[in-house]
Amino acid sequence: MPNKAMPNETPVEQVPVHVDHLIVNGELAAENAWCVSYDEETLPEQRPAFVPLALWQANQEDAELAPLLTSDTALNTELAAEVSKATAIAVDFPAFTDGRGYTIARLLRERYGYSGEVRAVGDVLVDQLEYMRRCGFTAMALRDDQHPEDALRALSFISVRYQPDVEERQALFERRLSADK
Amino acid sequence: MYRYDIHDQTLVDERVAQFRDQMERYRAGRLGEEEFRPLRLQNGLYIQRHAPMLRIAIPYGMLAGNQLRALAEITRRYDRGYGHFTTRQNLQLNWPALEDVPDILADLAKVQMHAIQTSGNCIRNTTSDQFAGIANDEVEDPRPWCELIRQWSTLHPEFAYLPRKFKIAVSGAAQDRAAIQVHDIGLRLWHNADGELRVKVLAGGGLGRTPMIADVVREDLPWQHLLTYLEACVRVYNQFGRRDNKFKARIKILVKALGIEEFRRRVDEEWAHLKDGPQTLNQAAVDAAKVHFPEPDRRPVADSANDDFDRLRTENRSFARFVTNNVTDHRVPGYKAVTLSLKRREHAPGDVTADQMEAVADLADRYSFGEVRVTHEQNLVLSDVPVDELEALWKELEALGMANPTVGTLNDIICCPGGDYCSLANAVSIPIAQALQERFEDLDFLYDLGPLDLNISGCMNACGHHHVGHIGILGVDKKGEEYYQISIGGNSTDDASLGKILGPSFFREDVPNVVEKVLEVYVSQRHEDERFLDTYRRIGLKPFKERVYA
């Protein structure tokens, strides 16, 4: 059958530019203003926008731009100081199995004290959100096939954490000892 | 034995609910096959050749009697009434139904068990010495340290998506029984000249496609820094381990590529930031872990019991054989550790029936303070048996078919499930083990050969640890046909080494003959009391090769 709409059929709903659902601080955000551009040469027209690091570095006067860090970003003191000027930092998950972004977020938060938004973008799945939050992501843009209601439920399954993380600064063994005192 | 508190119990209960939700979403089509894969693997669930396979965690090999009974019941209710103990001290079920897995995990949680991180690209079950806490040569009981590592690694938020699987083993004795040199990270607890506990940290060992012996990253880590240092090691691996090629993604490839000095430099650089952080251990934390591994309430055993035991050994040849091979000396006079053989011709190595599990649980209650250990050689251990009860225990084990007096001999084969069960395998391995056990069942001959590790893997992933067998057998596939490659000279203990391949591979039916020829060379060339391994090291591969390919 030809894939042609019948003249009397209602027009297909316009898909918005940002189809991904955004979770911010554990809740579904009302809107997702930020665009993510992977184009390393040209700035996107839309604002605000996360753009590749080098492009952001070259356009730091534009306050509506923020850096998009690839998962292989080698974060050091100099780079951390530079990106910390941004109001938000996006960390890309090129594949959900690429766990480097977790380390990047922890370093931004714990080592370099970044306090703005750290957003997970790319191949972001429902079942990763809990780990992401614990590593310091405050915003997660779900891949567009993910169900946001599943995501909110997934964030509340596990309440126990053995390790210290960005939210909980004491290891469980320390908290047990304090409780015993 | 570690007992859960409210936190541990809450975690396994919540984990069951989480997995149930994931499974429901998967079955409803809301979670794709690819996306579900790491989730099920990190809950122990594989999709295998015949059915799903569920790998249940037995942290550092320690099991309580009630847990073993629960495992027996689970194998009856959800499987075919038996389970398979693996070289990682876990238990595998080969025939569970996919939809039953959440219920199985719920049943496990009732007895403080789970299948968390028994698979997947994360930190796996930490393994240890089966004689931990009772060995004569022990410097420090590794179990509390393993437990601290278990907690640190369980649902670690940063390390659930590593480049590849990650395995840690801990030894606290003079002799390494945990194969620490062939793990991603091997840890050895030792005391320095001032009597202070130190941790030797090795990294980059492993078997599989590219077998390697680990390098020493740090000789003398003060114990307070164990977890922060491990975190630094794994973080460096997470950042720099190769992700473009799964065959080159293990930490051993990274360590090799960087060189140990550069790897160490990066770990130290990372550790400088983590050192003295919130995961730094203190005496109170370690003591709290140690409380879970108390000395059992051993009754005094009269000196005369040792005399009786010695007399019995001289009078009863069968008992003597059992004692020589399956009974290990104990730190506490009057006590022995007993290894229960899971190597019988009619079953795959490591297989145990539900009835046997229950019977072992009863024996553990009656003879050994209700605890059982799983060994990486796929046997079970009762760790605290008074010498005056050894004979009674032995008789009961005979009746169960678990007194096979061949532990440590050629007959005590380590073997993966192979092509009969595993979808990765290139060739069967269990029938090879059975054919060898049939060929070499004469006890006098086995004893004459002395200690001999024969390890069989059905594919190069090396679950059967063939690289570190004194004799190693690897199933290979050549144009759809099963062949077997034989290597000799491997070893997993202190003087670890990787086996060298003898030459072209063999047909399945030829394997027993080839092994026999290898043994003939050894028997004819050995010096008095020389182990197979030492003869090989002295004379090299050539004489073996000449005989086998003559």
Side-chain angles (χ1 to χ4, degrees):
Chain A
M1 283 290 288
N3 194 12
K4 203 174 159 192
M6 298 300 285
N8 60 349
E9 202 175 305
T10 48
V12 177
E13 193 187 339
Q14 278 290 307
V15 180
V17 178
H18 308 289
V19 288
D20 50 354
H21 290 281
L22 183 69
I23 309 275
V24 178
N25 297 322
E27 289 177 20
L28 196 58
E31 58 177 341
N32 179 7
W34 285 81
C35 135
V36 179
S37 173
Y38 291 88
D39 187 333
E40 290 178 11
E41 309 289 325
T42 323
L43 287 176
E45 286 179 15
Q46 199 176 325
R47 292 290 187 285
F50 290 109
V51 297
L53 180 62
L55 203 54
W56 175 78
Q57 283 169 324
N59 294 278
Q60 284 194 38
E61 71 287 353
D62 187 339
E64 291 207 299
L65 294 179
L68 166 66
L69 304 184
T70 52
S71 62
D72 61 354
T73 301
L75 208 55
N76 55 29
T77 312
E78 295 74 41
L79 181 58
E82 197 180 357
V83 295
S84 289
K85 292 180 223 154
T87 55
I89 299 170
V91 177
D92 185 45
F93 285 78
F96 70 91
T97 50
D98 185 340
R100 288 176 288 185
Y102 299 93
T103 293
I104 293 174
R106 283 196 82 177
L107 293 178
L108 281 172
R109 294 293 189 209
E110 294 176 332
R111 184 165 308 167
Y112 301 115
Y114 180 69
S115 59
E117 177 181 302
V118 180
R119 178 180 298 202
V121 301
D123 213 15
V124 176
L125 309 183
V126 162
D127 296 282
Q128 298 171 277
L129 303 183
E130 168 73 10
Y131 289 140
M132 286 177 169
R133 182 167 73 182
R134 293 183 57 192
C135 286
F137 288 101
T138 45
M140 292 86 107
L142 284 166
R143 199 173 75 184
D144 60 12
D145 64 344
Q146 300 291 294
H147 298 268
E149 63 272 34
D150 292 340
L152 295 176
R153 199 169 59 253
L155 276 166
S156 63
F157 274 117
I158 308 286
S159 67
V160 177
R161 32 192 85 182
Y162 284 117
Q163 317 79 2
D165 56 38
V166 167
E167 297 174 347
E168 167 59 63
R169 294 307 299 148
Q170 268 192 319
L172 182 57
F173 69 75
E174 281 291 347
R175 281 179 279 138
R176 280 170 166 151
L177 292 173
S178 330
D180 288 345
K181 274 173 200 159
Chain B
M1 185 81 194
Y2 184 74
R3 303 287 177 192
Y4 284 7
D5 70 0
I6 183 72
H7 303 288
D8 307 286
Q9 189 63 49
T10 302
L11 181 107
V12 294
D13 290 342
E14 289 177 344
R15 180 72 166 175
V16 172
Q18 180 190 44
F19 187 63
R20 205 180 282 283
D21 181 80
Q22 290 167 344
M23 179 73 98
E24 278 166 17
R25 283 189 282 130
Y26 169 67
R27 297 184 60 180
R30 291 164 78 89
L31 184 56
E33 189 73 50
E34 273 306 295
E35 289 76 9
F36 183 51
R37 193 170 178 274
L39 305 178
R40 65 170 165 76
L41 289 175
Q42 294 196 21
N43 276 289
L45 179 59
Y46 275 79
I47 304 297
Q48 279 290 23
R49 183 156 297 207
H50 302 293
M53 182 271 273
L54 184 69
R55 184 181 289 153
I56 297 165
I58 301 175
Y60 37 96
M62 293 287 293
L63 267 175
N66 72 309
Q67 292 177 324
L68 194 51
R69 283 191 194 89
L71 291 172
E73 193 48 40
I74 284 170
T75 66
R76 273 202 203 100
R77 183 178 304 171
Y78 301 102
D79 205 283
R80 296 187 178 178
Y82 67 95
H84 174 79
F85 286 106
T86 75
T87 53
R88 290 212 59 74
Q89 302 180 308
N90 294 314
L91 181 77
Q92 289 179 187
L93 306 186
N94 281 313
W95 311 92
L98 194 68
E99 60 271 22
D100 284 340
V101 171
D103 290 339
I104 299 175
L105 297 178
D107 284 0
L108 287 171
K110 285 178 201 155
V111 291
Q112 310 196 341
M113 294 187 80
H114 59 78
I116 297 171
Q117 292 176 200
T118 54
S119 183
N121 294 336
C122 54
I123 303 171
R124 304 282 188 88
N125 186 30
T126 295
T127 53
S128 189
D129 182 346
Q130 68 265 29
F131 298 125
I134 56 150
N136 268 336
D137 64 339
E138 189 165 276
V139 175
E140 171 80 11
D141 185 347
R143 294 171 300 169
W145 303 92
C146 289
E147 175 53 30
L148 289 163
I149 294 167
R150 182 193 73 82
Q151 296 189 19
W152 162 76
S153 60
T154 297
L155 305 195
H156 195 299
E158 190 180 338
F159 303 138
Y161 293 95
L162 295 172
R164 278 286 271 141
K165 58 186 168 185
F166 201 89
K167 299 174 177 180
I168 301 173
V170 189
S171 166
Q175 190 198 333
D176 172 19
R177 285 174 289 265
I180 61 170
Q181 295 186 67
V182 287
H183 277 77
D184 293 295
I185 292 216
L187 301 170
R188 173 164 236 153
L189 307 169
W190 63 283
H191 285 161
N192 67 11
D194 297 326
E196 296 163 332
L197 182 65
R198 291 287 186 267
V199 187
K200 179 171 170 174
V201 182
L202 298 96
L207 303 178
R209 188 177 292 256
T210 319
M212 287 185 197
I213 303 290
D215 287 304
V216 177
V217 191
R218 181 142 188 149
E219 198 72 50
D220 58 350
L221 183 74
W223 57 268
Q224 292 86 344
H225 305 300
L226 174 66
L227 298 182
T228 54
Y229 199 79
L230 283 175
E231 185 132 321
C233 290
V234 183
R235 181 173 280 176
V236 166
Y237 170 57
N238 190 38
Q239 288 176 300
F240 303 107
R242 283 184 64 172
R243 290 174 181 272
D244 59 323
N245 180 344
K246 74 175 255 197
F247 301 123
K248 296 185 175 177
R250 296 287 290 269
I251 193 175
K252 59 192 172 188
I253 304 288
L254 176 68
V255 172
K256 199 78 173 172
L258 294 176
I260 188 63
E261 290 79 19
E262 172 62 13
F263 178 76
R264 182 184 299 122
R265 191 192 65 75
R266 291 192 193 194
V267 169
D268 284 345
E269 189 178 279
E270 194 60 46
W271 184 53
H273 297 283
L274 296 166
K275 187 174 179 288
D276 301 320
Q279 294 196 97
T280 306
L281 292 167
N282 53 38
Q283 194 60 51
V286 174
D287 288 346
K290 286 186 173 177
V291 163
H292 290 278
F293 304 91
E295 289 291 321
D297 193 12
R298 299 184 186 97
R299 64 174 167 82
V301 177
D303 286 345
S304 60
N306 283 309
D307 300 338
D308 292 342
F309 169 66
D310 290 339
R311 193 173 57 248
L312 196 62
R313 280 185 79 170
T314 56
E315 288 168 0
N316 185 330
R317 185 149 178 248
S318 298
F319 180 64
R321 283 169 156 165
F322 176 77
V323 168
T324 303
N325 292 282
N326 299 28
V327 173
T328 309
D329 282 342
H330 201 291
R331 187 171 50 74
V332 178
Y335 281 80
K336 301 280 182 188
V338 177
T339 301
L340 285 53
S341 172
L342 301 183
K343 313 297 170 72
R344 296 162 298 153
R345 245 168 64 193
E346 61 274 26
H347 290 277
D351 271 15
V352 57
T353 67
D355 290 349
Q356 285 178 325
M357 286 189 227
E358 283 167 349
V360 171
D362 288 346
L363 294 179
D365 285 347
R366 280 160 46 215
Y367 292 100
S368 190
F369 303 97
E371 283 179 10
V372 180
R373 288 117 182 264
V374 183
T375 78
H376 86 267
E377 293 92 357
Q378 301 175 286
N379 290 316
L380 297 175
V381 167
L382 298 181
S383 58
D384 276 276
V385 183
V387 289
D388 51 10
E389 295 181 35
L390 269 177
E391 188 196 10
L393 172 62
W394 167 64
K395 285 180 174 163
E396 299 207 44
L397 290 174
E398 290 259 272
L400 287 169
M402 302 177 95
N404 205 5
T406 55
V407 170
T409 71
L410 176 69
N411 212 271
D412 188 15
I413 293 170
I414 290 179
C415 182
C416 75
D420 292 309
Y421 297 102
C422 179
S423 53
L424 300 172
N426 291 323
V428 296
S429 50
I430 295 166
I432 300 293
Q434 289 168 333
L436 289 167
Q437 284 168 332
E438 193 170 342
R439 174 71 64 96
F440 305 105
E441 63 180 353
D442 180 81
L443 290 178
D444 290 330
F445 181 61
L446 288 175
Y447 297 157
D448 177 56
L449 293 174
L452 224 163
D453 293 344
L454 192 148
N455 299 354
I456 308 173
S457 301
C459 77
M460 66 170 87
N461 291 307
C463 293
H465 297 180
H466 64 278
H467 298 295
V468 287
H470 301 164
I471 300 176
I473 300 178
L474 167 67
V476 291
D477 176 271
K478 283 189 193 170
K479 300 187 178 116
E481 297 279 334
E482 292 184 358
Y483 286 86
Y484 295 87
Q485 195 174 68
I486 295 186
S487 57
I488 54 178
N491 182 34
S492 67
T493 57
D494 299 279
D495 48 351
S497 54
L498 302 169
K500 287 219 163 56
I501 297 163
L502 211 48
S505 50
F506 304 94
F507 292 122
R508 174 166 154 185
E509 54 271 26
D510 292 337
V511 171
N513 288 337
V514 174
V515 171
E516 190 157 21
K517 287 176 187 170
V518 167
L519 295 173
E520 280 167 16
V521 174
Y522 161 59
V523 169
S524 66
Q525 300 259 3
R526 69 178 162 189
H527 292 166
E528 206 183 331
D529 292 333
E530 194 177 44
R531 297 183 301 170
F532 174 87
L533 188 64
D534 296 320
T535 303
Y536 160 77
R537 285 177 176 173
R538 181 169 52 78
I539 67 177
L541 201 62
K542 203 169 157 225
F544 294 96
K545 211 170 179 160
E546 282 170 359
R547 175 81 181 89
V548 167
Y549 294 98

